[in-house]
């Protein structure tokens, strides 16, 4: 059984309908953005393609940017829930690390392809709206992680700055690892070997590479976490 096929409790009918609508909106938006570009696609076109109303759209996504980056938002929602529910063991950073790796492993089949496409869309957008949305979303996730750690450890992040730093470290490891994966770089490699060489985020070459790429994404994120202690100890002398 593949890691992302781990059996889980069957969701309710309401939850399944919600998930189906989320996916239909995200898929319709992704198709239009790939064909027309993010800026040229209107929200009216997105809801028409998904055959829902604007009111329904805003029950699931707060903006056009949010639906464009739905794969990333899906990861954060599941990661925060995983951190809140799993027992803390060993160092807190190791718990955050294992929670993120387990969350990535259990994302739905094909999630890495959709994530690759949305990151590419953001990277090549002529306006900063998508990149800004990603930054703001990471701030919210960091605040949620800090709140969870406060409750779990029984201390305030105002009194102990380490709680805020731990969330930042976890998100920084994700950003570094995911960027290396999207770029197709190996550890120690420089340059831009993959993203700029592929004009279409869904072309056959990219799709084939990304389909086999979840294990590599996991390795890159794990490597980024592993580099944190050495990074903190790095000396200019």
């Amino acid at each position: 059984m593949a890691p992302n096929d781990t059996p889980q409790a069957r969701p309710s009918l309401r939850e399944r309908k919600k998930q189906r609508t989320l996916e239909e909106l995200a898929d319709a938006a992704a198709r239009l953005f790939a064909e027309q570009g993010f800026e040229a696609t209107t929200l009216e076109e997105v809801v028409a393609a998904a055959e829902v109303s604007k009111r329904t759209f805003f029950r699931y996504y707060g903006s056009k940017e949010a639906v464009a980056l739905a794969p990333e938002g899906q990861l954060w929602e599941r990661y925060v829930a995983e951190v809140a529910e799993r027992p803390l063991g060993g160092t807190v950073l190791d718990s955050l690390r294992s929670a993120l790796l387990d969350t990535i492993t259990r994302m739905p089949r094909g999630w890495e392809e959709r994530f690759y496409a949305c990151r590419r869309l953001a990277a090549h957008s002529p306006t900063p709206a998508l990149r800004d949305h990603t930054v703001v979303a990471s701030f919210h996730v960091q605040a949620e992680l800090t709140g969870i750690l406060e409750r779990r450890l029984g201390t305030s992040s105002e009194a102990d700055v380490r709680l805020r730093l731990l969330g930042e470290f976890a998100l920084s490891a994700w950003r570094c690892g995911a960027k290396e994966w999207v770029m197709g770089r190996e550890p120690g490699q420089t340059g831009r070997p993959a993203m700029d060489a592929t004009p279409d985020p869904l072309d056959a070459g990219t799709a084939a590479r990304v389909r086999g790429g979840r294990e590599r994404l996991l390795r890159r994120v794990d490597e980024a976490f592993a580099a944190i202690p050495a990074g903190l100890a790095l000396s200019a002398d």
Side-chain angles (χ1 to χ4, degrees), residues 50 67 80 95 117 127 137 149 193 201 206 208 215 221:
V67 75
V80 169
S95 291
T127 64
L149 294 179
T206 298
E215 287 302 318
V221 174

Side-chain angles (χ1 to χ4, degrees), residues 1-8 105 109 215:
M1 179 177 290
N4 50 319
D5 292 334
T6 302
Q8 297 180 2
T105 298
R109 184 181 300 276
E215 287 302 318

Side-chain angles (χ1 to χ4, degrees), residues 125-180:
S125 175
T127 64
L130 290 172
R131 295 185 291 277
D132 289 349
H133 184 88
T134 296
V135 172
V136 171
S138 72
F139 287 153
H140 288 304
V141 174
Q142 192 269 347
E144 289 187 82
L145 292 176
T146 299
I148 292 169
L149 294 179
E150 286 180 326
R151 294 189 294 274
R152 301 288 298 278
L153 300 175
T155 188
S156 167
S157 60
E158 294 181 359
D160 191 341
V161 71
R162 292 178 299 175
L163 273 62
R164 296 198 301 276
L165 287 172
L166 286 165
E168 292 286 2
F169 287 149
L171 291 173
S172 293
W174 159 255
R175 284 191 291 266
C176 290
K179 182 175 181 179
E180 295 303 292

